[in-house]
Amino acid sequence: MSIPINLEGRVILVCGVGKGGIGGPTARIISAAGATVVAVDKTQQLLDPTIADIKAAGGRCHGIVADLMDPAQTDPIVATAVERFGRLDGVANVAGGTRADEWMRLEETPLSSFHASLNLNFEYTFRICRDAARYMIKNNIRGSLVNVGSISSLNSAPYHGPYGAAKAAMSALTRTMAIEWQPYGIRTNTVHPGAVPTERTKSFGSDPSKNAGMPQVVRTAPEAVGHAIAFFLSDLASGITGQNLVVDSGLSANYCSGAINVDSLPKKS
Ligand SMILES: NC(=O)c1ccc[n+]([C@@H]2O[C@H](COP(=O)([O-])OP(=O)(O)OC[C@H]3O[C@@H](n4cnc5c(N)ncnc54)[C@H](O)[C@@H]3O)[C@@H](O)[C@H]2O)c1
């Protein structure tokens, strides 16, 4: 006997579905579990490969081009998903991450970089979850919302402090969502990946000041994160809300925030 993750009949919004990241495999796993996927990314070029993969496997997927950092572009997303497929049952907010140019000491960090980190890794997840919950409450849908954090939010985040703080704020707000929306049957959880080789993190190269570039760090496959997200979206997780699940192959248990040895890093004189 097996117990499958079954998302048949569900419509799931996945934000950030680029094929070379965590979101592309996540969207494919959610589709393979039976859900219709509404995929969001910055450009049609980023959407197309994941949409093509899902359709080639016999799944259903609709793409929405939107910059998640721009409220004017995110405001219509939930309504568009509902208009296209008649309902919305779940959300996976995967889009996020550090930019290559934001890895620096806190005393050198410009406010513009701080704000950009907070918008991409905290604010937009609030806007999308709020809009989805409004719809679910109004339509009596017992949905599931999953936000993607980071092990950088669990302890310290040397050289990427605003990112770690943004993800910590996001998981704190996700717990509050769980309590406020529990009476409506809406569950909200956070999945915290460790070091996942994606096109973005691989582009950082081997610079030791960028966590993901460290060769000795234990890696986790994007699909492992996608499986955890699909689990939270499914009824197998019906008793779980307001929780944090770390998917890092043991990295944080060993190294806390990711193994940066600050003594080995360059300092400005
Ligand atoms: N890769 C890792 O090692 C790692 C570690 C910890 C946490 N995470 C988290 O996992 C998530 C995915 O990371 P990833 O490595 O797959 O990143 P990625 O950059 O490969 O993928 C992110 C996707 O989101 C999209 N996106 C980014 N900004 C957007 C915007 N403003 N509007 C619309 N779409 C946008 C990108 O185009 C891309 O398709 C992020 O939230 C990241 O913080 C990743």
Side-chain angles (χ1 to χ4, degrees):
M1 183 184 131
S2 63
I3 304 175
I5 290 180
N6 184 0
L7 298 174
E8 291 285 347
R10 311 271 166 96
V11 178
I12 309 287
L13 177 67
V14 185
C15 291
V17 298
K19 190 168 178 172
I22 293 170
T26 298
R28 290 198 297 277
I29 289 164
I30 289 169
S31 172
T36 296
V37 172
V38 180
V40 178
D41 216 301
K42 278 185 287 196
T43 66
Q44 194 64 45
Q45 288 71 26
L46 285 159
L47 287 169
D48 281 342
T50 294
I51 294 175
D53 284 351
I54 288 175
K55 289 190 172 168
R60 288 211 304 170
C61 184
H62 174 71
I64 299 174
V65 175
D67 179 354
L68 292 160
M69 292 174 75
D70 178 359
Q73 294 186 41
T74 52
D75 280 354
I77 287 177
V78 167
T80 304
V82 173
E83 191 183 339
R84 181 73 175 72
F85 292 115
R87 60 185 290 124
L88 182 68
D89 301 278
V91 173
N93 283 321
V94 186
T98 52
R99 306 176 316 278
D101 66 358
E102 79 177 80
W103 290 76
M104 64 187 85
R105 303 173 69 89
L106 286 173
E107 74 271 19
E108 293 160 5
T109 301
L111 197 55
S112 57
S113 175
F114 180 91
H115 283 151
S117 300
L118 255 66
N119 192 346
L120 182 59
N121 293 290
F122 177 36
E123 190 197 297
Y124 98 81
T125 64
F126 163 69
R127 288 188 265 110
I128 294 285
C129 288
R130 176 199 60 191
D131 296 353
R134 272 185 193 152
Y135 162 78
M136 289 169 181
I137 290 167
K138 191 170 171 201
N139 292 279
N140 201 22
I141 290 178
R142 300 170 72 80
S144 173
L145 313 175
V146 184
N147 290 321
V148 174
S150 169
I151 58 167
S152 296
S153 71
L154 304 180
N155 199 334
S156 62
Y159 292 78
H160 57 314
Y163 169 79
K167 293 291 197 184
M170 190 266 282
S171 75
L173 197 63
T174 304
R175 287 196 298 278
T176 299
M177 292 173 190
I179 302 310
E180 291 198 8
W181 298 336
Q182 188 274 337
Y184 304 102
I186 300 168
R187 296 181 296 104
T188 67
N189 292 287
T190 304
V191 171
H192 296 283
V196 181
T198 61
E199 278 172 19
R200 180 181 57 82
T201 57
K202 283 188 261 182
S203 75
F204 294 164
S206 56
D207 182 342
S209 71
K210 296 178 177 62
N211 184 3
M214 295 188 78
Q216 72 270 33
V217 159
V218 178
R219 311 281 171 153
T220 299
E223 290 77 9
V225 182
H227 288 142
I229 294 170
F231 165 70
F232 274 135
L233 290 168
S234 78
D235 290 345
L236 291 181
S238 62
I240 307 175
T241 192
Q243 299 304 311
N244 292 288
L245 180 62
V246 176
V247 184
D248 72 347
S249 309
L251 181 62
S252 58
N254 197 10
Y255 290 112
C256 297
S257 63
I260 287 185
N261 175 2
V262 289
D263 290 334
S264 71
L265 296 171
K267 292 182 188 67
K268 279 196 177 165
S269 52

